[in-house]
Amino acid sequence: MSFIEYGDTIKDGDTAVVFLGHESMFPVKVQHGTVTQTKYGVIRHSTDLIGNKYGSKVTCSKGGWVFILHPTPELWTMNLPHRTQILYSTDISIITMMLELKPGSIVCESGTGSGSLSHALIRTVAPTGHLYTVEFHQQRAEKAREEFREHGVEHLVTVTNQDVCKNGFGVSNIADAVFLDIPSPWEAIGHAKSALKAEGGRICSFSPCIEQVQRTCLAMEEHGFTEINTLEILLRVYNVRTISLQIPDLGKAAEDNSSTGFDSSNPSTRGSPCAELQRGTVQFKSGMPLREMVGHTGYLTFATKS
């Protein structure tokens, strides 16, 4: 099993996603002789998982059922164990596009955190590219190495435990893109410039506060970066529902009703469009934004090495 190559059959040692519903799923490491408890009952790895196909419908001990899904970076983002705040697919998609990543790209990242963006970057640059990711916290760096090994992508990523603001990324003049998600990205702009290829490399910095963005932009200008721009991605979800609106009185409703022979006392005409006109309201489907939704996540600042 690998996060970058699809496999048909569930094997011992795989990471699989147990899908109970769109709002309820979790990852599980498949191991012979192990059981997993769900609200629908027990899943026995030896008989219910190993040897079956991904996407299979598995009946649990209480009679309920779940689906077993092959892991992807998107599913991992929704279900990973949080060691830090993470980036979600909305921001990840625009980062991948604006950094102009493709198979074969060399990318530098700091910090690794929980590995949400890292998995998406690895999938994008595979099979011939490489990710160099730097994590300041030693335990988080070791856990990231372990996850990459379990997910079958360790040959595409190098994890380094050091302070990127002081020691850089450990590579020079080879990266097609650099991504920064650290408290003081302006201190790492010089090292990012050194890691990027001689000309045309792209850089992105993620910061939750506009003051961080301002200092980062100034540092980018000082180091000769061009095409500096900052954007913010906001996801706005719409709820489709039936609403009622009054029909404006244009002075012809009574005349139209008499000409069509409409009889409001006749039960057969109730519920018809004419009846709705008589009542002065009409119902139709409409998309309404949710009253509460996820708002600001962070500002994304992009620039190009001149």
Side-chain angles (χ1 to χ4, degrees):
M1 185 278 303
S2 171
F3 271 55
I4 60 172
E5 296 176 357
Y6 183 80
D8 258 348
T9 307
I10 305 171
K11 300 181 178 63
D12 189 14
D14 282 2
T15 298
V17 177
V18 179
F19 180 90
L20 292 83
H22 289 289
E23 301 297 328
S24 179
M25 63 184 92
F26 60 89
V28 61
K29 185 173 181 179
V30 180
Q31 293 178 310
H32 185 77
T34 303
V35 297
T36 297
Q37 294 283 351
T38 74
K39 63 181 180 181
Y40 301 126
V42 171
I43 301 173
R44 294 174 175 82
H45 292 203
S46 300
T47 57
D48 297 332
L49 299 184
I50 297 175
N52 292 326
K53 289 184 177 295
Y54 279 107
S56 297
K57 183 178 179 179
V58 174
T59 302
C60 304
S61 61
K62 293 182 180 178
W65 48 267
V66 298
F67 287 106
I68 307 300
L69 305 181
H70 192 284
T72 65
E74 289 77 17
L75 286 175
W76 185 245
T77 291
M78 297 171 64
N79 297 284
L80 58 77
H82 285 233
R83 301 183 288 273
T84 59
Q85 291 290 331
I86 68 169
L87 289 175
Y88 289 92
S89 296
T90 307
D91 288 314
I92 290 173
S93 60
I94 196 70
I95 291 168
T96 303
M97 182 187 74
M98 295 293 287
L99 289 182
E100 302 174 2
L101 301 182
K102 59 186 181 298
S105 295
I106 306 297
V107 187
C108 292
E109 175 198 25
S110 182
T112 312
S114 301
S116 173
L117 176 65
S118 303
H119 282 80
L121 294 177
I122 291 169
R123 194 260 309 272
T124 303
V125 304
T128 56
H130 201 84
L131 171 67
Y132 295 89
T133 182
V134 178
E135 173 56 51
F136 175 78
H137 194 276
Q138 182 178 358
Q139 290 180 334
R140 289 202 292 263
E142 292 173 354
K143 184 62 179 177
R145 288 194 193 98
E146 179 185 339
E147 285 180 352
F148 293 143
R149 184 169 56 253
E150 290 179 354
H151 298 165
V153 297
E154 73 276 8
H155 61 292
L156 295 170
V157 57
T158 300
V159 182
T160 306
N161 173 219
Q162 63 187 28
D163 185 351
V164 70
C165 295
K166 295 180 179 178
N167 307 113
F169 293 94
V171 296
S172 299
N173 302 319
I174 64 169
D176 297 289
V178 170
F179 176 79
L180 299 174
D181 183 6
I182 54 178
S184 52
W186 55 89
E187 296 180 1
I189 298 299
H191 294 296
K193 183 178 181 180
S194 299
L196 287 169
K197 59 186 181 181
E199 186 177 354
R202 295 279 287 166
I203 183 173
C204 174
S205 173
F206 177 90
S207 298
C209 301
I210 197 64
E211 292 81 7
Q212 293 171 301
V213 174
Q214 291 170 335
R215 295 190 65 176
T216 303
C217 288
L218 289 174
M220 287 178 175
E221 289 181 345
E222 291 173 0
H223 285 86
F225 283 89
T226 59
E227 300 177 349
I228 302 171
N229 64 87
T230 300
L231 51 88
E232 179 184 28
I233 307 300
L234 298 178
L235 179 63
R236 192 175 190 188
V237 179
Y238 279 78
N239 182 26
V240 178
R241 62 181 183 178
T242 302
I243 64 173
S244 298
L245 290 179
Q246 279 191 328
I247 298 175
D249 183 5
L250 302 178
K252 294 185 178 181
E255 180 182 336
D256 292 343
N257 289 342
S258 61
S259 64
T260 56
F262 173 75
D263 182 3
S264 60
S265 63
N266 187 349
S268 64
T269 62
R270 291 174 187 168
S272 67
C274 292
E276 290 184 344
L277 288 172
Q278 184 73 8
R279 290 194 298 269
T281 62
V282 64
Q283 291 185 333
F284 61 94
K285 296 289 185 181
S286 176
M288 304 291 291
L290 302 180
R291 294 187 177 183
E292 294 183 4
M293 64 183 72
V294 177
H296 171 75
T297 56
Y299 299 103
L300 293 167
T301 301
F302 297 91
T304 302
K305 182 177 179 181
S306 175

